[in-house]
Amino acid sequence: MKKTFILLSPVLLVLANAWYVNAWNLNFRAGFFLQFGIIALWLALFGWLCKPVQSAAPPLKLSRAGWLGLALVMVIAVTARVTQLEVYPPADVSVVEETQTGELSHDSIHKHLLDPDFPIINLLGEAGLRLNGGTMLGLRWPFVIWSCLAVPVFFLAALRFCRHEGAALLVTLLLATNTYVIASGRTAMETYAPVTTVALSLAALLYARDRRSLFAFGLAGVCNGLLLIEYLSFRLTGGLIFIWMLLLLAQGLSAEAPWTCAVRPRLHALWAARRLALAYAVLMCVVALPCWIALANTGWLNLAEGVERNFVNDVLARSAAKPIGVQVAEMAGRVWEQGMTLWVKDAVPGVITDRRGIFDWGTSALCLAAIVFALVRARANPSRWFPVLAILATIALAGVMTPVVARYRVYCVVPCCLLLMAGLIQAMLEWKPVRFAPAIKVAVAGFVLVLAGWNLWSFFSSTVYDQELRDQHYEFCVLVAVEIQKQQALPQTAPLYLISPGLTEKSRGEAYFLYDRSRVRFVGSADEITGPARVVACNASGVELEQRADFKILYRRDDKPKREDTYVVAERD
């Protein structure tokens, strides 16, 4: 009873925190940080009061070769993510919705706010703007570092999943060198960054399985709770990982249990470990609870809002006039296409060319073989093939519940795919025929090294310099904002004006976080300007400015991909 009260008390404290924030009209930011103070306090209490059970697995120890291999993989991962960072993505380009991240981060700094939809992404962007200034490259730097952290964290997850250094290192190398992972890790986007959180949640869960203590399961619950405040598809992954935790406890398997171990999940085993499951569930909910409370004021929790917006208002509304058979056929077609975005190609532009999926052809073949291997070899061990269920469930729900097929909707299952590959590679490296064992090990390692090299070559030889890909991400508002930033960096002897009726308000696409708005005067036409001035004029206003004799045109810039928008820079003494 005493331990149960200790487990449930964080919920009461977080509810009290939410009441305190609302009662005293404090913003969500204050409550969010206070919430994590409560979590840290209770984790420390768990660590002090609770000890691992005697059936806990022995601690994992890396060999000297393992440490050397991990260091080499980290060097490759960091080099791949920071090399030519100023070239791709370009500084005057917003990849998909990066400007939205920048605007939220800018408001966090100047208004002391925090977005309850994606607080982690908000804080990463805020760190970039605070430490590196208001530039697109500065905004992206924390996301690059966050992407690099995914590599060692995933290695820990893979090592605890297969308990084989070689297999864990090889699949971690595939993660470190994957073209799509490298490209997405360079962008400040809520649809890409949480893959690190998935790796963290998996590593914490497998650590908890081995340690079997309240502290370990509470820590794993906190890590999984972070997924519940990420992008919509990653929240689904958090729910699936929670089910995996229950399955692991219901089977009661040790970490050294072989793949072929046939142990059915049993309710009495789950009941015996109920405090571990409760610690996980309570701390998971404690992380997400303040965000849910903050979002409940809008009428829908974010998860439900996403379901309503994508599935109810879009998919079902479009299909209302169609026969049930046609609707089912269309959904099945989208599910198939969604699966192909993981292994073959994409349907919409993204961070890399749409002519390939998240994985290249070789890695896709290895992934499919790993899925078949897990279902056949470990069919009596559900905790081993559960990642397969996570992959298939994510693909199916993404295809059924959303009208647009895209790679980023299934990006969340990449760590699950790689864990399955680790299991297959482990089996190949431990194959019994001793006569062929050295040749098999060399062949497997060589195949993975070829895939890693191919992905690196694909990124640096084509993706970085793909003009078609760059053109897809050009946004005129970013071009104008970067130009204003350049003008503000020059010694100014006259006020700086922006003539653009469409950019005078803080619209979503304005990219106003890139410059100091207090030093810019917004006007609707050149007639409103008096005295000496430096002017940035957009579109028709720029054409009008070029026809005036009292302004000297310094240069003109076209939005090259679309050739629709232009701006001119002029001055008047």
Side-chain angles (χ1 to χ4, degrees):
M1 188 67 183
K2 182 178 178 181
K3 288 186 176 180
T4 303
F5 175 75
I6 293 175
L7 288 173
L8 293 177
S9 53
V11 176
L12 302 177
L13 286 176
V14 170
L15 288 173
N17 173 34
W19 175 85
Y20 172 77
V21 169
N22 288 324
W24 292 89
N25 293 322
L26 299 179
N27 60 29
F28 170 72
R29 184 186 186 91
F32 185 81
F33 287 118
L34 185 57
Q35 154 212 357
F36 273 91
I38 294 171
I39 291 172
L41 176 64
W42 251 253
L43 282 177
L45 186 62
F46 286 169
W48 179 52
L49 293 178
C50 308
K51 304 297 182 183
V53 299
Q54 293 184 353
S55 60
L60 283 174
K61 293 183 179 180
L62 275 180
S63 66
R64 183 174 300 178
W67 281 111
L68 183 61
L70 179 59
L72 181 60
V73 172
M74 278 302 302
V75 169
I76 294 173
V78 173
T79 303
R81 283 155 179 78
V82 302
T83 302
Q84 296 182 316
L85 184 58
E86 72 285 354
V87 178
Y88 182 84
D92 57 354
V93 162
S94 171
V95 179
V96 193
E97 295 177 346
E98 282 186 303
T99 53
Q100 180 178 328
T101 303
E103 290 162 12
L104 291 173
S105 303
H106 178 275
D107 291 344
S108 295
I109 295 173
H110 295 279
K111 297 182 180 180
H112 304 289
L113 301 176
L114 189 64
D115 178 30
D117 279 328
F118 311 117
I120 299 175
I121 304 302
N122 197 167
L123 291 173
L124 288 174
E126 180 181 337
L129 295 183
R130 285 186 183 275
L131 298 176
N132 305 301
T135 64
M136 293 301 297
L137 182 59
L139 176 68
R140 291 165 182 155
W141 261 113
F143 291 87
V144 174
I145 297 172
W146 188 243
S147 175
C148 292
L149 289 177
V151 176
V153 171
F154 175 76
F155 172 75
L156 295 176
L159 184 61
R160 289 191 177 275
F161 183 77
C162 65
R163 304 190 75 83
H164 191 285
E165 284 185 7
L169 282 172
L170 289 175
V171 294
T172 304
L173 179 62
L174 291 178
L175 175 70
T177 58
N178 181 273
T179 302
Y180 190 84
V181 175
I182 295 172
S184 62
R186 293 173 171 230
T187 62
M189 279 291 297
E190 73 275 5
T191 52
Y192 303 128
V195 73
T196 302
T197 316
V198 175
L200 183 64
S201 181
L202 291 172
L205 173 61
L206 295 173
Y207 168 77
R209 176 205 63 179
D210 293 352
R211 297 297 294 161
R212 299 186 70 81
S213 69
L214 284 175
F215 170 80
F217 273 85
L219 179 63
V222 170
C223 294
N224 200 35
L226 295 176
L227 278 176
L228 300 183
I229 55 176
E230 294 281 16
Y231 184 70
L232 181 61
S233 57
F234 290 90
R235 298 178 190 191
L236 169 64
T237 305
L240 292 171
I241 292 176
F242 175 75
I243 297 174
W244 194 10
M245 179 273 301
L246 296 177
L247 186 60
L248 287 170
L249 290 178
Q251 284 190 266
L253 293 177
S254 66
E256 292 81 8
W259 273 73
T260 53
C261 181
V263 177
R264 293 181 179 180
R266 299 184 183 278
L267 287 178
H268 68 80
L270 181 59
W271 177 252
R274 62 189 180 279
R275 286 196 177 93
L276 300 179
L278 187 61
Y280 189 101
V282 166
L283 278 249
M284 180 182 71
C285 293
V286 163
V287 172
L289 194 59
C291 296
W292 291 347
I293 293 173
L295 291 169
N297 295 329
T298 63
W300 280 96
L301 298 181
N302 186 269
L303 177 61
E305 186 274 333
V307 172
E308 181 193 28
R309 173 167 49 85
N310 290 320
F311 184 61
V312 178
N313 294 342
D314 205 329
V315 175
L316 293 185
R318 292 184 181 184
S319 304
K322 300 177 182 178
I324 296 296
V326 175
Q327 295 180 36
V328 172
E330 289 180 350
M331 289 182 181
R334 284 199 304 273
V335 170
W336 174 260
E337 292 177 6
Q338 192 66 70
M340 293 300 100
T341 65
L342 189 61
W343 296 302
V344 181
K345 64 178 182 178
D346 196 11
V348 296
V351 291
I352 63 173
T353 175
D354 57 3
R355 293 183 292 274
R356 61 161 278 175
I358 293 177
F359 295 124
D360 59 275
W361 283 95
T363 310
S364 298
L366 185 62
C367 179
L368 292 172
I371 290 175
V372 174
F373 173 79
L375 291 175
V376 173
R377 184 76 182 277
R379 60 185 179 275
N381 186 355
S383 63
R384 281 291 189 174
W385 55 257
F386 188 82
V388 179
L389 179 61
I391 295 169
L392 298 180
T394 302
I395 291 173
L397 288 174
V400 169
M401 301 184 67
T402 57
V404 179
V405 175
R407 282 175 296 216
Y408 69 84
R409 300 194 188 281
V410 294
Y411 185 42
C412 52
V413 300
V414 166
C416 293
C417 294
L418 292 170
L419 285 182
L420 293 174
M421 294 185 217
L424 175 61
I425 291 175
Q426 175 195 7
M428 297 173 71
L429 295 178
E430 294 178 346
W431 201 24
K432 293 300 183 182
V434 180
R435 179 179 177 183
F436 303 103
I440 293 174
K441 292 180 180 180
V442 170
V444 171
F447 180 66
V448 172
L449 290 174
V450 168
L451 293 179
W454 170 260
N455 275 271
L456 289 175
W457 179 86
S458 174
F459 179 76
F460 286 105
S461 67
S462 58
T463 301
V464 170
Y465 300 105
D466 189 340
Q467 189 59 46
E468 179 183 355
L469 188 62
R470 291 172 172 228
D471 292 349
Q472 292 171 350
H473 299 304
Y474 266 103
E475 285 193 22
F476 183 61
C477 63
V478 178
L479 295 178
V480 175
V482 171
E483 183 59 49
I484 296 174
Q485 185 186 71
K486 292 178 181 177
Q487 296 300 321
Q488 289 182 337
L490 299 174
Q492 291 190 22
T493 57
L496 179 61
Y497 289 84
L498 173 62
I499 307 177
S500 178
L503 293 180
T504 55
E505 299 297 331
K506 288 187 176 181
S507 61
R508 168 169 288 191
E510 189 183 353
Y512 58 83
F513 64 94
L514 294 176
Y515 57 89
D516 185 356
R517 287 180 59 88
S518 64
R519 296 168 54 197
V520 180
R521 301 181 182 181
F522 298 90
V523 294
S525 68
D527 295 333
E528 302 177 38
I529 300 175
T530 59
R534 177 68 64 92
V535 181
V536 178
C538 304
N539 297 323
S541 300
V543 176
E544 178 186 348
L545 201 65
E546 289 178 309
Q547 297 173 356
R548 295 177 64 112
D550 54 338
F551 283 93
K552 178 183 176 182
I553 304 301
L554 300 181
Y555 59 88
R556 178 186 182 90
R557 172 71 183 265
D558 293 326
D559 187 8
K560 294 180 180 179
K562 300 178 181 178
R563 297 199 178 278
E564 298 172 353
D565 298 309
T566 62
Y567 70 83
V568 299
V569 179
E571 67 177 1
R572 182 169 67 185
D573 297 329

